[in-house]
Amino acid sequence: MTNTQIPEEYRSKQPPMPKDAKIYVAGHRGMVGSAIKRELERQGYTNIITRTHTELDLTRQDDVEDFFAQEKPEYVFLAAAKVGGIVANEEALADFMYENMILEMNVIHSAWKNGVKKFEFLGSSCIYPRMAPQPMKESVLLTGPLEKTNEAYALAKISGLKYCEFLNRQYGTDYISVMPTNLYGPNDNYHPTHSHVLPALIRRFHEAKVSGAKSVTCWGDGSPLREFLYVDDLANLCVFLMNNYSGNETVNAGTGKECTIKELTERVARIIGYTGEIKWDPSKPNGTPRKLLDVSKTKAMGWEPKTSLDEGIKLTYEDFLNNPMRAER
């Protein structure tokens, strides 16, 4: 779908990015940032700027301002963030809030000061209220209490997307926000306790298969419903939105489909080839009961994901097997 075919209320205020445009991908070593970089390269973009954390600490304001003043990127994808699963969030509430908030403000503010043409902020569906009506529309933001297990991260992400909105309203910038559902895929974090549910399950069932364990115990009771989006599909949407969408309201990035954690667990076990017993530990937290995004906005723009859950799990398991350093951490 071309920009002119997109509904007028969503249509980009400016032409698509030129193939030689100077594009900064913040967080290019993470799962989302690396996928965006791959997608940009796949589409023929040739002038992609990256910095490792060692080269540029985004929580240091002076360093970020110097970087933008020197490099003058024209377009920015902000995919850098401090992320983790339920345990990581609960153990480091203050760290998650501080590091994400200061990182976002530094990058967004420096982008504005240096005249970036278009900016894309990556958030998370955890920004929505814990008991929001399902599926969750973008308009339910700030209409109820957040899920306590990731409240700090959600508050930081809400601050970032609101700062983008307020810059648009006050200064006429073209800054957009994308809120993905649960993501998975190449470059994920497979840590046994600090990762998200799908990579954690991949590691757990792989190790159980290798060791010949007769059973695997999973957290909670398996009842929560979750939606999963393959990260390369998200990257494709991110580039699509940068070229075609403008608006103050965030854009949900999901599949519109969900399954229970129990169903997901059984699917991962089957794909990996684990045949032992699956047990549940209800003393561990379930998290939000249901978290399905309303994806009518992206559908109206003519975009839909291409990777099925089974195919995505297979590709992610291959990534796990082929990256031993990441698999062992």
Side-chain angles (χ1 to χ4, degrees):
M1 182 177 283
T2 63
N3 190 34
T4 55
Q5 293 173 298
I6 288 173
E8 189 173 349
E9 67 267 32
Y10 303 144
R11 200 173 299 165
S12 181
K13 295 177 181 178
Q14 54 191 310
M17 297 181 290
K19 295 299 181 183
D20 61 349
K22 205 169 190 181
I23 303 168
Y24 172 44
V25 180
H28 76 286
R29 283 188 165 179
M31 178 173 64
V32 174
S34 62
I36 291 173
K37 184 173 180 288
R38 283 196 305 274
E39 181 65 20
L40 287 167
E41 290 169 344
R42 188 187 71 80
Q43 293 192 28
Y45 291 95
T46 57
N47 196 1
I48 302 168
I49 309 166
T50 60
R51 291 290 188 277
T52 65
H53 178 74
T54 303
E55 293 169 332
L56 176 62
D57 183 347
L58 296 178
T59 65
R60 299 180 64 86
Q61 184 176 4
D62 289 347
D63 293 351
V64 176
E65 289 182 351
D66 289 345
F67 164 76
F68 272 86
Q70 292 166 12
E71 290 292 339
K72 293 289 184 183
E74 299 169 89
Y75 301 87
V76 175
F77 292 86
L78 178 50
K82 180 180 177 65
V83 298
I86 290 177
V87 173
N89 274 271
E90 286 190 315
E91 288 179 349
L93 293 166
D95 295 347
F96 270 82
M97 187 167 188
Y98 174 79
E99 290 185 34
N100 282 297
M101 193 169 288
I102 197 166
L103 178 157
E104 295 161 7
M105 294 300 158
N106 285 344
V107 176
I108 299 168
H109 187 69
S110 292
W112 169 70
K113 281 181 66 177
N114 288 277
V116 166
K117 291 181 181 178
K118 196 159 187 175
F119 189 103
E120 187 171 299
F121 176 76
L122 273 294
S124 165
S125 59
C126 72
I127 63 167
Y128 295 124
R130 171 182 166 83
M131 300 306 290
Q134 303 287 320
M136 297 181 289
K137 292 183 177 291
E138 289 88 349
S139 58
V140 303
L141 181 65
L142 297 176
T143 60
L146 299 165
E147 161 63 35
K148 287 296 181 183
T149 55
N150 53 23
E151 183 180 24
Y153 182 71
L155 286 169
K157 288 299 181 181
I158 291 169
S159 298
L161 73 90
K162 280 295 180 181
Y163 187 41
C164 288
E165 176 191 336
F166 296 154
L167 285 170
N168 288 346
R169 288 166 56 180
Q170 185 173 349
Y171 295 107
T173 52
D174 191 5
Y175 290 5
I176 62 175
S177 299
V178 185
M179 295 302 125
T181 188
N182 298 285
L183 299 170
Y184 69 102
N187 257 347
D188 210 336
N189 172 17
Y190 301 98
H191 190 280
T193 57
H194 292 170
S195 58
H196 291 104
V197 59
L198 207 157
L201 288 173
I202 286 175
R203 176 170 183 156
R204 194 168 301 170
F205 282 114
H206 171 77
E207 291 178 346
K209 176 186 173 182
V210 171
S211 68
K214 293 182 178 179
S215 67
V216 170
T217 301
C218 298
W219 282 24
D221 60 15
S223 66
L225 289 158
R226 290 292 182 271
E227 173 187 23
F228 296 92
L229 178 66
Y230 188 61
V231 72
D232 284 37
D233 285 340
L234 170 68
N236 179 263
L237 174 61
C238 287
V239 177
F240 174 86
L241 291 172
M242 186 69 100
N243 284 329
N244 294 286
Y245 173 77
S246 290
N248 288 334
E249 190 176 67
T250 189
V251 179
N252 284 342
T255 62
K257 301 174 183 177
E258 61 188 342
C259 66
T260 66
I261 294 297
K262 184 176 185 294
E263 291 167 339
L264 175 72
T265 300
E266 292 169 351
R267 189 175 297 209
V268 172
R270 173 176 53 80
I271 289 171
I272 288 176
Y274 176 74
T275 56
E277 182 183 3
I278 300 173
K279 298 179 179 180
W280 295 91
D281 181 359
S283 69
K284 299 295 186 183
N286 272 329
T288 305
R290 191 183 182 202
K291 202 166 69 168
L292 178 66
L293 293 181
D294 182 305
V295 293
S296 55
K297 185 181 286 188
T298 51
K299 282 190 175 181
M301 288 187 272
W303 185 90
E304 290 192 48
K306 298 176 182 177
T307 311
S308 70
L309 185 54
D310 274 10
E311 182 186 356
I313 293 171
K314 289 174 185 175
L315 291 168
T316 307
Y317 185 42
E318 289 175 11
D319 175 69
F320 174 86
L321 294 174
N322 293 326
N323 290 274
M325 287 184 64
R326 188 159 57 251
E328 291 169 4
R329 72 186 178 190

